Amino acid sequence: MPVSSANNPIRGKQTMAEQKSKLSKQILKTVVLAVFILAFGGIAVDAQTAKPRDPAEPTQGKPQAKILPRPAGRIARASVDEKSMRALIAKLVACGTRLTLSSWTDAKRGAGCGRDAIVARLNEIAKDSNGKLQVVVDKFESTSARTSDKPIPLENVYAILPGSDPKLAKTIFIVSGHFDSRPSNVMDPEADAPGADDDGSGVAVSVECARLLSKAGPNGRGTYRATILFVAVSGEEQGLLGSTHLVDWAKQQGYTVGGMLDDDIVGADPAARAPHRVRVFSGNGEIDDADSPSRELARAVEEIDGRSAIRLIFRVDRYGRGGDHYPFYKAGLPAVRFTEPLEDYNHQHQTPRTENGIEYGDFEKYLNFTFMGDVARDNAEALRQLALAPAPPTNAKLTGAVTPDAKVSWAAEEDAERAGFEILWRETSDPRWTVYDFVASPGETVLKGVSTDNHFFAVRSVGKNGARSIAVPTEIERRPPPQPAPSKQ
């Protein structure tokens, strides 16, 4: 029969000694582990936080660039009219469906009903602009697989705010939403498709931008150098038909597209601690180094509105999706897409219904008008500053390979309202530009002690009012290294 330690004092003492030994070993292990973490963990943390140990560029110190303040008169968030945005979306939803294949003549249901609501609201805004804002309905035909490969009638709605500068009036900055909607079956014109978020929200943003920016200046004169185009397109759900036509229309009118802001699904933000930042998508283009015109527009929008408002997404669109900025992007024009932070797919492209306790359908009750108002202000302020800016420089080039100095050159037409140019640079791994120097005139500037290899460079125009054009990256002479001669067969 085993003897318990309680009845055996010798056995009890041995147990206590063993316990003390085990405790000592545990303490020793803990101390060793703590020392290891402090020593090697500190090295790992230091490796992440230590300052770079690279030679200074330039070695004699960077020039003290002249930085002009941004244009005065920023659009106040309080000036956004959320009630009128809500009222417009309610009228669009009341049309039942706005599918492009639905009726264009029924005043109460279909695409024509949506068009009428938008035209009526823009005409109200045009009156307050002292006639400066011009409302146009553009009728055309288009064909796609989602029109059964047959030409169908479509209509876009434009509100044009002409620029006041004769040299820049043919440059347009566009803000757009699509007013067509869709049910689960994109070919079904009979099913309800309320389309409050997709894309009544984008249309409301575009129209509200028209209200914010079209107020008449002194003596009824416009205040923007370039032209601003406020757009509601149709046919997006049938294959980007309206926006593809808009690219051609702009060219036919003799316009140069300075930038295109597509607002598509910008009305909902249900996550905790909303409102959050709006996502701005931009494609890299067909060139290296993430410097397409669309990417430069996205950077400009973020710089104008701030990182607290804009979340840059460096891809052309959501994965497997597309929007009305795409035809502009593919044409090599600067175009980006604004989209809400987290999409709820139960409320997109869904015929209204309830299944397994889940409600499907794109209804107004799921919208967040505080967030949508933020998006409207961000769009309007970006448009305001870009339309106030001088034309971007042209023929920007980088030379100086295999020399100690980078040489940046560019051209620009005379402009009495331009203060000069900012030379921009960034590490090749950085997403954003910083100002290297300010130069008054176009031509060539030598960046003493700056390698051509370690940075990317760009140039942008700066107005006396502080408005900046989008950046123009420098082109480089591409010289591949010498290659072996092909072997003779």
Side-chain angles (χ1 to χ4, degrees), residues 319-343:
Y319 188 61
R321 309 285 293 280
D324 285 320
H325 64 305
Y326 188 74
F328 289 84
Y329 166 73
K330 290 302 290 182
L333 302 170
V336 299
R337 176 189 179 123
F338 287 71
T339 296
E340 62 200 31
L342 292 171
E343 298 175 72

Side-chain angles (χ1 to χ4, degrees), residues 81-96 98 112-125 157 177-179 194-197 199-211 230-232 364 367 369 372:
D81 187 353
E82 293 178 17
K83 290 183 179 179
S84 69
M85 297 173 72
R86 185 189 294 270
L88 176 58
I89 291 174
K91 290 179 180 178
L92 294 173
V93 170
C95 293
R98 305 185 305 278
C113 170
R115 171 209 57 214
D116 291 346
I118 297 163
V119 170
R121 177 59 184 146
L122 287 173
N123 280 332
E124 292 175 357
I125 294 170
V157 182
H178 69 86
F179 69 90
D197 194 11
D199 185 32
S201 63
V203 171
V205 165
S206 179
V207 172
E208 178 62 10
C209 285
R211 188 191 71 83
F230 309 95
V231 178
E364 184 182 351
L367 301 181
F369 284 91
M372 196 189 309

Side-chain angles (χ1 to χ4, degrees), residues 13-93:
K13 289 179 182 179
Q14 287 176 340
T15 302
M16 289 178 63
E18 289 174 356
Q19 289 176 345
K20 287 181 179 180
S21 177
K22 288 178 72 175
L23 181 61
S24 298
K25 289 179 180 179
Q26 288 177 347
I27 292 172
L28 181 60
K29 286 181 179 179
T30 302
V31 171
V32 171
L33 180 62
V35 171
F36 180 85
I37 291 173
L38 287 172
F40 295 96
I43 291 173
V45 170
D46 186 64
Q48 298 297 321
T49 59
K51 293 182 179 180
R53 298 180 60 202
D54 304 318
E57 283 189 67
T59 54
Q60 301 303 315
K62 193 176 83 65
Q64 295 298 310
K66 172 185 175 182
I67 305 294
L68 270 67
R70 286 278 173 175
R74 289 182 68 88
I75 294 172
R77 175 61 178 83
S79 66
V80 176
D81 187 353
E82 293 178 17
K83 290 183 179 179
S84 69
M85 297 173 72
R86 185 189 294 270
L88 176 58
I89 291 174
K91 290 179 180 178
L92 294 173
V93 170

Side-chain angles (χ1 to χ4, degrees), residues 76 126 288 350 405 409 437 447 458:
D288 295 336
Q350 297 283 352
D405 306 323
S409 62
D437 202 1
L447 281 51

